[in-house]
Amino acid sequence: MIITRRTALLAGAGLLAAPAISHAQQPRTLRLNHTDTEVGARQEAANLFARRVQELTDGRFRVQVFHSGQLANDARSLEQVAVGSIDMAITGVVTYATHTRPLNLVALPYLAETYQQGWRLYDQSRFIAEQKQALIGRGMRVIGDWEAGFRSFSTNFPLPSPAAARGRKLRIAPVDMVRWIMESQGWNPVVMPVTEVYLAIQQGTVDGQENPVDTIFSQRFYEVARHITLSNHVYSPLWLCVAERSWGTLPQNARDALVQAGLESGRFNRETVAANDDRLLEQMTARGAVVNRPDLAAWRQASQGAVARARQEYGAETVDRFIEEASSLRSQG
């Protein structure tokens, strides 16, 4: 448009509409789904990720965050990412096992004993790197290593030892390894989406569930299953993934921004969750929860049946190689 003196005066007076922004100038919005609530560490980190993407792309790309499973539950969100109907999702690494079966092995019991050991495993393991690469062929690309923590129990009855679990109904995620661990410990596992668990415990459909402390707090499971037993039976981090179909339509600078934002928000999320456990347990205790810190020897022993089952299903060589890799990284401190 030619700028004349009259045009300038009209514009200054607000009497001339601004020229329409072209389609190419309009920011593109990417949808990100997760099942944590809006008060959890996951949402806080997701908001950071969204803000950094917008900053790194000078506003050309935006991320709209959907919490509490607003678009889909964990399993369904990955199905939708795989076909490109959701751009991104954050969910537990074990959830990805339905798309790349060997990932069940990341839920082997007691692979890590501290957060630092868990981070080293996911950052340096050759097995983990191979599974990330395999997921690309399933329609999803991991762009962020996030944190959920160590899985423990919250039940509506005291749980002093694995013997108390025998025959009790426990909600689990749809992951073979988790099911085998629970069966080995004596539980009767029941698969259901995490968004349905609170009501299921409240109604007596199940007697409890197993999840990291951050999830137990954010989903308020301690309100209906107030006995929290810190068994730490599985180290259970999160992955942020982007749909390959969405990735393929992005310019290189946008891809770089997603990866950079995923790295920064993942680092923030890891440090936040690791620092939060004791604080969240104190808050839950103040609200009526009873926290049990058991000797883990009995829980380790009760979980060994799952390792034997994994050797049968995946081959002793594959399982033992990964266990040895985890042990080597764990020994570094």
Side-chain angles (χ1 to χ4, degrees):
M1 180 175 69
I2 298 174
I3 304 297
T4 66
R5 184 172 182 275
R6 180 175 181 277
T7 300
L9 290 172
L10 288 171
L15 300 175
L16 186 67
I21 298 176
S22 70
H23 179 72
Q25 293 175 302
Q26 293 177 352
R28 176 176 169 184
T29 299
L30 303 171
R31 298 192 304 163
L32 168 62
N33 184 75
H34 70 83
T35 58
D36 203 10
T37 68
E38 58 184 336
V39 301
R42 201 173 311 180
Q43 174 72 2
E44 189 177 6
N47 287 337
L48 172 61
F49 174 77
R51 184 167 66 251
R52 289 298 290 140
V53 168
Q54 185 167 346
E55 292 171 350
L56 291 166
T57 63
D58 295 323
R60 291 189 295 274
F61 289 84
R62 296 178 180 177
V63 174
Q64 185 177 8
V65 178
F66 294 87
H67 61 77
S68 306
Q70 291 172 304
L71 297 184
N73 62 40
D74 285 309
R76 181 62 179 157
S77 70
L78 291 186
E79 293 173 3
Q80 294 192 32
V81 166
V83 299
S85 56
I86 292 179
D87 298 296
M88 290 179 286
I90 307 163
T91 186
V93 175
V94 292
T95 310
Y96 292 81
T98 56
H99 298 269
T100 300
R101 192 166 178 262
L103 270 174
N104 273 296
L105 297 185
V106 304
L108 280 162
Y110 298 101
L111 289 175
E113 298 174 350
T114 67
Y115 281 105
Q116 289 72 23
Q117 291 175 2
W119 299 342
R120 192 180 303 121
L121 176 65
Y122 276 78
D123 291 344
Q124 300 180 24
S125 165
R126 180 180 300 178
F127 174 82
I128 297 294
E130 290 171 350
Q131 305 318 308
K132 283 184 177 180
Q133 187 64 33
L135 282 170
I136 294 176
R138 303 293 189 273
M140 59 197 77
R141 178 183 297 260
V142 175
I143 59 170
D145 287 277
W146 289 31
E147 184 61 78
F150 289 86
R151 302 183 81 87
S152 289
F153 300 106
S154 60
T155 56
N156 57 15
F157 65 96
L159 188 61
S161 70
R166 187 158 301 280
R168 295 279 196 165
K169 291 181 290 184
L170 187 84
R171 178 271 171 183
I172 65 167
V175 179
D176 287 344
M177 184 62 64
V178 173
R179 176 167 57 84
W180 298 340
I181 293 173
M182 297 305 110
E183 289 174 345
S184 179
Q185 293 177 357
W187 296 98
N188 178 14
V190 178
V191 173
M192 70 175 63
V194 70
T195 49
E196 299 176 10
V197 175
Y198 186 101
L199 185 60
I201 299 174
Q202 191 175 51
Q203 295 180 340
T205 304
V206 294
D207 300 305
Q209 61 85 49
E210 52 88 45
N211 255 306
V213 168
D214 186 75
T215 305
I216 294 172
F217 176 81
S218 65
Q219 298 284 351
R220 308 196 331 270
F221 292 146
Y222 63 91
E223 294 179 352
V224 289
R226 69 189 188 97
H227 295 276
I228 300 173
T229 302
L230 301 178
S231 55
N232 293 347
H233 48 273
V234 172
Y235 174 62
S236 185
L238 308 164
W239 275 344
L240 164 64
C241 72
V242 58
E244 271 298 290
R245 290 191 176 185
S246 299
W247 182 263
T249 66
L250 298 175
Q252 189 59 50
N253 64 336
R255 294 180 180 182
D256 293 342
L258 290 181
V259 172
Q260 180 63 28
L263 177 67
E264 293 177 14
S265 55
R267 186 183 302 119
F268 168 82
N269 184 253
R270 279 180 167 182
E271 294 172 355
T272 299
V273 172
N276 271 356
D277 278 358
D278 287 341
R279 180 179 65 83
L280 296 181
L281 288 168
E282 287 178 4
Q283 290 188 35
M284 289 187 282
T285 299
R287 300 173 189 179
V290 178
V291 177
N292 173 31
R293 301 177 185 269
D295 182 346
L296 298 184
W299 291 99
R300 286 194 183 95
Q301 182 60 37
S303 303
Q304 289 308 299
V307 179
R309 179 67 182 275
R311 289 190 176 108
Q312 293 175 0
E313 295 288 337
Y314 296 96
E317 182 179 354
T318 299
V319 172
D320 291 343
R321 188 189 309 122
F322 183 46
I323 290 176
E324 182 179 349
E325 183 181 32
S327 178
S328 175
L329 293 170
R330 191 168 62 242
S331 68
Q332 296 177 21

